[in-house]
Amino acid sequence: MEYQQLQDEIKAAMKARDNHRRDILRQVHTELKAIEVNERRDVTEADVDAMLKRVIKQTKETLDGSIKAGNNQERTDTLTEQVAILEGYLPKQVEGDELAALISEVLADTGATSKKEMGRVMGELTKRTGGNFDKAAAAKELGGKLS
């Protein structure tokens, strides 16, 4: 997602009076604004995606804490909705058959044959997908292919 698109989404949420969407997108925007100010550079699409993932992780941790503490159901529902909203803005994750094909391609390109080279293969997968792949499924798949 591009930075301008994020700003447009916030405006659309405000017009639609969608407070949950507006609030969580504003949280992401605030974090990105801090990058602009502190690092004195323009925000890239990669920054937006990374920030979305970071805010999702933080919100999920808050949600887990809320569930364990038995806090009110309304707060839990709000956090669940916010996680779903943010996940909708992330690029599509590579999984299933597409992931298996990519793993085979990376194994052929790198020539990896042992589990000692798993880190190098995972690094190449991350580079090719921008980190948007099911890491647990990839590790399981690699475990079966590497000796």
Side-chain angles (χ1 to χ4, degrees):
M1 170 187 273
E2 292 183 20
Y3 190 52
Q4 184 59 47
Q5 183 183 356
L6 176 68
Q7 293 171 326
D8 293 342
E9 288 289 330
I10 293 171
K11 288 177 191 171
M14 290 170 69
K15 288 179 183 174
R17 299 190 190 284
D18 186 349
N19 295 338
H20 297 300
R21 181 176 301 273
R22 180 201 64 206
D23 292 346
I24 197 69
L25 291 177
R26 276 186 176 168
Q27 183 178 345
V28 173
H29 184 264
T30 301
E31 298 280 344
L32 291 168
K33 198 70 173 162
I35 290 174
E36 273 187 328
V37 171
N38 295 338
E39 298 180 18
R40 291 184 171 84
R41 65 179 177 87
D42 290 334
V43 174
T44 65
E45 192 171 336
D47 290 330
V48 176
D49 289 344
M51 193 58 65
L52 284 170
K53 289 177 186 176
R54 189 168 128 200
V55 173
I56 287 172
K57 182 179 177 192
Q58 290 170 346
T59 306
K60 281 183 177 178
E61 288 171 357
T62 304
L63 175 61
D64 289 344
S66 178
I67 290 170
K68 287 178 185 172
N71 286 357
N72 64 3
Q73 189 61 39
E74 184 180 335
R75 171 118 171 101
T76 304
D77 293 344
T78 300
L79 290 169
T80 304
E81 183 182 347
Q82 288 178 337
V83 168
I85 289 167
L86 290 177
E87 286 176 341
Y89 288 111
L90 285 177
K92 181 183 162 288
Q93 288 238 336
V94 178
E95 52 193 12
D97 294 338
E98 188 179 356
L99 179 61
L102 185 60
I103 288 171
S104 296
E105 183 181 316
V106 169
L107 286 174
D109 291 350
T110 60
T113 56
S114 72
K115 289 189 178 185
K116 289 181 182 178
E117 299 170 296
M118 192 175 207
R120 189 173 62 158
V121 173
M122 291 294 274
E124 184 63 26
L125 283 170
T126 301
K127 192 184 309 178
R128 291 186 185 189
T129 63
N132 294 317
F133 67 99
D134 185 350
K135 290 159 188 67
K140 186 177 178 182
E141 179 88 17
L142 279 171
K145 292 187 177 191
L146 298 175
S147 55

